[in-house]
Amino acid sequence: MTSHFSLSRRHFMGGALSAAAFNALSHSAHAQAEATQHQPGIVTPQQPYIYFLTLDLPSDQKADLIALMKQWSEAATALMAGQARPDFPSPHEVASLKGAHLTLTFGFGPSIFLHDGKDRYGLLSRRPAALADLPHFNGDQLIAARSGGDLCIQSCADDPEAAFYAVRVLIHLAYGRVEPRWSQHGFLPHYSKTHTPRNLMGFKDGTINPNNHSPQEMRDIVWADPTACPWMAGGSYLVARQIRIALEHWDNMNVPFQEQTMGRQKYSGAPIGGTREHQPLTLKETDKDGNLLTAETAHARLAAPEENGGAQMLRRAYSYNNGLSYIAERWPPWRQGNEFDVGLLFLAYQKDPRTAFTKLFEKMAKFDMMNQFTTHIGSALFACPGIAPGRYVGATLLEE
Amino acid sequence: MTSHFSLSRRHFMGGALSAAAFNALSHSAHAQAEATQHQPGIVTPQQPYIYFLTLDLPSDQKADLIALMKQWSEAATALMAGQARPDFPSPHEVASLKGAHLTLTFGFGPSIFLHDGKDRYGLLSRRPAALADLPHFNGDQLIAARSGGDLCIQSCADDPEAAFYAVRVLIHLAYGRVEPRWSQHGFLPHYSKTHTPRNLMGFKDGTINPNNHSPQEMRDIVWADPTACPWMAGGSYLVARQIRIALEHWDNMNVPFQEQTMGRQKYSGAPIGGTREHQPLTLKETDKDGNLLTAETAHARLAAPEENGGAQMLRRAYSYNNGLSYIAERWPPWRQGNEFDVGLLFLAYQKDPRTAFTKLFEKMAKFDMMNQFTTHIGSALFACPGIAPGRYVGATLLEE
């Protein structure tokens, strides 16, 4: 389902023709949905490394935004193909991109549509209803400097330097025309193509993810509804949350307590009382005293679709490690000091955040036992449109 | 030359016997030098990943420091052997250490000997002359929170998570008894066992490093003089500097200018005017107009032993990537904003920092063209002693 941008330089330079073809096809939302391609890096099997960056735009001119997205789409095509260009810094490093399965995914934040109360690009009428600002969740401790952004770049690869290098090139090409806002690089601990990755808490993470090889599941869960917002045909909505994990505190808990908190067994990933990772959660089973095997407040229960009216999203989370930070802990003995600044860059793609992330997390933010060990410190939301054949990313939004 | 700690748990528990054997051997500095083992991670061929952490000790009791170093030496032995213990968090992760070539190296900072003017552990008389505080260098912009430390742990491995996991275990075991001060994780970009690694500036880095397979070179350059300080027999002095690189600024320079600044060619690593990476620098050669091929202020010239009375050290530097930070640039157009927070965790081992790092860097800090793009923001110094057979790291210092 996922395809890399097919824009060769030649195709791109022939944009006028492609636009005509595109317009002919876009007479209905359905036709447009058929004609657009998905951006890579959404249902692409998760590569082990990410460099994620958001940025703000100093210019209020829509033409500047269009020029930027054209330039980036073209450069992204070259980078994903491992092609060096004279305007790339350290162009010999492009060689390292070959075989790294680099994907570059771009998103548009709510501030593209409304910034300090101003419709700066004249796009407000095109803002998708699904791109509603996220509500304040219980326990949120959001840092402005780690939240939001006019645009995002998600760069994923099999090699951490390839993921960073691609973003470095894009920022270099846009020197003086963009203001980087926040970034986070991440990784999948103990990555393997054949096993569910573990997070830094030592548990398998992503067991219940939908099947990204199933077009039907992806249509139901990931891809935006083109009738609700035609320019988002073939696109998806990205929720990004930076979630700090109090690792020293977690490491002081014994494994049975950790398992009760998670609602799964640590080594096998099996449900409590189960034997296999991929068997159904033990949501109704009780022990001999009549107590639920999987606690009411266990993380896995609160995240389960069957407990949330079927709400689902495609998780693409990465662990992060930012060294040490001075932390004031939120639990006894309320320790203050330099602690590991580690956690999860939670990324999730979905058809509509209002009925997926927001619905799921509103309950979890209140009841999840895991909240003793996790704090949401950053939040952002992006619309990642599909690509009309031969056009740049964002053409469907920026050119009617 | 390098050996992993040979202390098995059994050997360690039999420390009294080993101590007797050790004392019998230590009747002369020379014999002690023969009897001690080098810590791993010094002349060990550089693994591609590091997690480096320094920490302070809240206790003024020498017995607490001894207990800590005993516990850590024992745990380090298990970790380097890939052996899980029930007191390790997420002990199943130990499996990932196997084959990761983990090395753990410990050092003692100047504040162990003199802390706020106080000889807190009664060790001041044993402070090596070579462990003199580093002077203030031209251009230093040192941040206290990224400098110094009573102790350091250098954890290196073929896998970044293995390097971090080992430190996580040591910090867990010492919970409440140590105060982490600063940490930095790093990597060797485009690592290969057969090529000199490049740094983030795109240049090969480490071409002139001494041969860590030559015992003679290591004796001359790396290992401390046991006659000057018997407890440092088999040990070495570590200088750690955190060097920020202004990558966006660097990426805007053309390659010929970058090469003049570095004093080497970017792709090949060859000297200016040369053809091969490992040929001698062109320090005296001139062009047809009589100008030196390698500028007086080129980085490679200023770092060359032949320009510094033979001064040398064993570099063990790693690139780092800390995302974005708000930076006020030091050069025109004095840009302020969020920039890549990347650079080099410069680590160098040497016989005596006064005649190695300090001698070399005093001149470079004043004249190196590279200073337009680099800023030293952190600094630390550690004595990393050898290990008496069967004893814990630091026994030669802490027990007379």
Side-chain angles (χ1 to χ4, degrees):
Chain A
M1 286 298 291
T2 299
S3 55
H4 287 232
F5 302 157
S6 67
L7 328 171
S8 70
R9 188 180 175 87
R10 188 164 153 210
H11 275 125
F12 185 79
M13 301 305 277
L17 181 65
S18 299
F22 169 74
N23 286 331
L25 279 163
S26 65
H27 61 279
S28 80
H30 183 73
Q32 184 168 338
E34 293 295 311
T36 52
Q37 301 169 2
H38 305 309
Q39 286 194 64
I42 298 177
V43 298
T44 309
Q46 204 171 349
Q47 305 98 316
Y49 296 98
I50 191 171
Y51 193 95
F52 187 83
L53 181 137
T54 85
L55 49 102
D56 294 328
L57 300 167
S59 167
D60 283 343
Q61 301 300 311
K62 193 168 89 168
D64 290 335
L65 175 52
I66 290 173
L68 177 71
M69 293 312 298
K70 283 183 175 174
Q71 186 182 22
W72 276 1
S73 297
E74 195 188 341
T77 302
L79 287 163
M80 289 190 282
Q83 290 164 352
R85 296 195 332 189
D87 56 348
F88 288 179
S90 298
H92 56 290
E93 297 194 2
V94 170
S96 72
L97 300 182
K98 290 198 176 163
H101 297 111
L102 174 72
T103 56
L104 289 163
T105 315
F106 300 94
F108 296 87
S111 51
I112 285 288
F113 302 91
L114 194 64
H115 178 79
D116 288 342
K118 194 175 151 197
D119 179 12
R120 59 199 304 220
Y121 300 119
L123 295 171
L124 184 54
S125 65
R126 314 198 81 195
R127 179 173 178 167
L131 197 72
D133 291 325
L134 296 179
H136 174 87
F137 294 100
N138 193 55
D140 272 3
Q141 295 197 358
L142 303 184
I143 299 163
R146 300 207 71 87
S147 297
D150 290 344
L151 300 175
C152 76
I153 307 170
Q154 174 196 282
S155 177
C156 295
D158 289 353
D159 175 90
E161 296 139 45
F164 173 61
Y165 176 74
V167 173
R168 173 180 171 185
V169 167
L170 297 177
I171 294 301
H172 171 69
L173 295 175
Y175 187 82
R177 297 184 288 136
V178 299
E179 292 168 355
R181 185 178 173 95
W182 61 276
S183 81
Q184 184 59 60
H185 44 105
F187 56 97
L188 296 179
H190 313 296
Y191 172 76
S192 142
K193 292 205 169 175
T194 54
H195 295 93
T196 308
R198 292 181 188 273
N199 61 28
L200 289 170
M201 293 174 130
F203 279 77
K204 296 187 179 184
D205 198 332
T207 299
I208 64 157
N209 233 3
N211 178 4
N212 55 4
H213 297 295
S214 160
Q216 183 61 50
E217 283 193 45
M218 296 302 96
R219 256 196 304 278
D220 292 345
I221 296 168
V222 172
W223 303 124
D225 176 2
T227 58
C229 178
W231 71 262
M232 273 296 286
S236 186
Y237 296 94
L238 169 63
V239 171
R241 305 280 289 187
Q242 185 146 17
I243 308 174
R244 187 185 167 258
I245 297 173
L247 201 63
E248 291 95 330
H249 188 50
W250 179 252
D251 281 348
N252 280 334
M253 302 295 117
N254 61 40
V255 169
F257 176 82
Q258 291 182 350
E259 292 179 335
Q260 283 297 317
T261 302
M262 193 68 76
R264 286 188 180 275
Q265 297 175 52
K266 192 166 188 179
Y267 303 146
S268 66
I272 307 292
T275 53
R276 290 173 298 107
E277 177 190 353
H278 291 284
Q279 75 183 82
L281 288 171
T282 50
L283 297 175
K284 296 182 177 152
E285 289 82 346
T286 53
D287 65 14
K288 60 181 169 47
D289 300 321
N291 298 313
L292 285 164
L293 284 184
T294 302
E296 289 283 3
T297 54
H299 179 76
R301 174 190 291 276
L302 291 165
E306 50 267 56
E307 300 269 315
N308 291 282
Q312 261 188 293
M313 52 198 171
L314 182 67
R315 300 186 45 168
R316 221 172 190 283
Y318 287 88
S319 293
Y320 71 81
N321 188 336
N322 290 345
L324 303 176
S325 279
Y326 190 88
I327 311 276
E329 286 188 353
R330 297 194 294 153
W331 45 79
W334 296 287
R335 206 158 72 117
Q336 297 194 11
N338 284 329
E339 299 196 345
F340 293 131
D341 186 356
V342 299
L344 199 68
L345 176 63
F346 175 91
L347 300 175
Y349 287 93
Q350 55 225 286
K351 181 186 282 295
D352 187 332
R354 295 170 298 177
T355 53
F357 176 77
T358 296
K359 179 165 183 178
L360 285 157
F361 191 59
E362 267 185 340
K363 199 161 69 171
M364 295 173 80
K366 289 177 187 148
F367 302 114
D368 192 345
M369 267 200 283
M370 187 73 80
N371 296 338
Q372 295 173 73
F373 306 96
T374 55
T375 307
H376 287 234
I377 60 171
S379 180
L381 175 67
F382 299 94
C384 304
I387 310 168
R391 305 307 310 276
Y392 59 92
V393 181
T396 57
L397 164 64
L398 300 170
E399 299 178 28
E400 308 210 29
Chain B
M1 287 296 292
T2 298
S3 53
H4 287 231
F5 302 157
S6 66
L7 329 170
S8 70
R9 188 178 176 91
R10 190 164 153 209
H11 275 125
F12 185 77
M13 301 305 277
L17 181 63
S18 301
F22 169 73
N23 286 331
L25 279 165
S26 66
H27 62 280
S28 79
H30 183 72
Q32 185 169 337
E34 294 294 315
T36 52
Q37 302 169 1
H38 305 309
Q39 287 194 65
I42 299 176
V43 298
T44 308
Q46 204 171 347
Q47 305 98 316
Y49 296 98
I50 190 171
Y51 193 96
F52 187 83
L53 180 138
T54 86
L55 49 102
D56 294 327
L57 301 166
S59 166
D60 283 342
Q61 302 300 312
K62 192 167 89 167
D64 290 335
L65 175 53
I66 290 173
L68 177 71
M69 295 312 300
K70 282 183 175 175
Q71 186 182 22
W72 275 2
S73 297
E74 193 189 343
T77 302
L79 287 164
M80 288 191 283
Q83 290 163 354
R85 298 195 332 189
D87 55 351
F88 288 179
S90 297
H92 55 292
E93 296 194 5
V94 170
S96 73
L97 299 182
K98 291 198 176 162
H101 297 111
L102 174 72
T103 56
L104 289 163
T105 315
F106 300 94
F108 296 88
S111 50
I112 285 287
F113 302 92
L114 194 66
H115 179 79
D116 289 341
K118 194 175 150 196
D119 179 11
R120 60 198 303 218
Y121 300 120
L123 295 171
L124 184 54
S125 65
R126 312 199 81 196
R127 178 173 179 168
L131 197 72
D133 291 325
L134 297 179
H136 174 86
F137 295 100
N138 193 55
D140 273 2
Q141 295 197 358
L142 303 184
I143 300 163
R146 300 206 70 86
S147 298
D150 289 344
L151 300 175
C152 76
I153 308 171
Q154 175 196 281
S155 176
C156 294
D158 289 352
D159 176 89
E161 296 140 43
F164 172 62
Y165 176 74
V167 173
R168 173 181 171 184
V169 167
L170 297 178
I171 294 300
H172 171 69
L173 295 175
Y175 188 82
R177 295 184 289 136
V178 299
E179 293 168 354
R181 184 176 174 96
W182 61 276
S183 81
Q184 183 60 59
H185 44 106
F187 56 97
L188 296 179
H190 312 297
Y191 172 77
S192 143
K193 291 206 170 174
T194 54
H195 295 94
T196 308
R198 292 182 189 272
N199 61 28
L200 289 170
M201 292 173 130
F203 279 77
K204 296 188 179 182
D205 198 334
T207 299
I208 63 158
N209 233 2
N211 178 4
N212 56 4
H213 297 295
S214 159
Q216 183 60 48
E217 283 193 45
M218 295 301 97
R219 257 196 303 278
D220 292 345
I221 295 168
V222 172
W223 302 124
D225 176 2
T227 57
C229 177
W231 72 262
M232 273 295 287
S236 186
Y237 296 94
L238 169 62
V239 172
R241 305 279 288 187
Q242 184 145 19
I243 307 174
R244 185 183 169 259
I245 296 173
L247 201 63
E248 289 96 330
H249 188 51
W250 179 253
D251 280 349
N252 280 333
M253 302 296 118
N254 62 41
V255 168
F257 176 82
Q258 291 182 350
E259 293 180 334
Q260 283 297 317
T261 302
M262 193 68 76
R264 286 188 179 274
Q265 297 174 52
K266 193 166 187 178
Y267 303 147
S268 66
I272 307 291
T275 54
R276 290 173 297 107
E277 177 191 353
H278 290 285
Q279 75 182 83
L281 288 172
T282 50
L283 298 175
K284 294 182 177 150
E285 289 82 346
T286 54
D287 64 15
K288 60 179 168 47
D289 299 321
N291 297 313
L292 285 164
L293 285 184
T294 302
E296 289 284 4
T297 54
H299 180 76
R301 176 190 291 276
L302 291 165
E306 49 268 55
E307 300 270 315
N308 291 283
Q312 262 188 292
M313 52 198 173
L314 182 67
R315 300 186 44 166
R316 220 173 190 283
Y318 287 88
S319 292
Y320 71 82
N321 188 337
N322 289 345
L324 302 176
S325 280
Y326 191 88
I327 311 275
E329 286 188 354
R330 296 194 294 154
W331 45 79
W334 297 287
R335 206 157 73 115
Q336 298 193 12
N338 284 329
E339 299 196 345
F340 293 130
D341 186 356
V342 299
L344 199 68
L345 176 63
F346 175 92
L347 301 175
Y349 287 93
Q350 55 225 285
K351 182 187 282 295
D352 187 333
R354 297 170 299 178
T355 53
F357 176 78
T358 297
K359 178 164 182 178
L360 284 157
F361 191 60
E362 268 185 339
K363 199 161 68 169
M364 296 173 80
K366 289 178 187 148
F367 301 114
D368 192 345
M369 267 199 282
M370 187 72 80
N371 296 338
Q372 295 173 72
F373 306 96
T374 55
T375 306
H376 287 233
I377 61 172
S379 180
L381 176 67
F382 299 95
C384 304
I387 310 168
R391 304 307 309 277
Y392 59 93
V393 181
T396 57
L397 165 64
L398 300 169
E399 299 179 29
E400 308 210 30

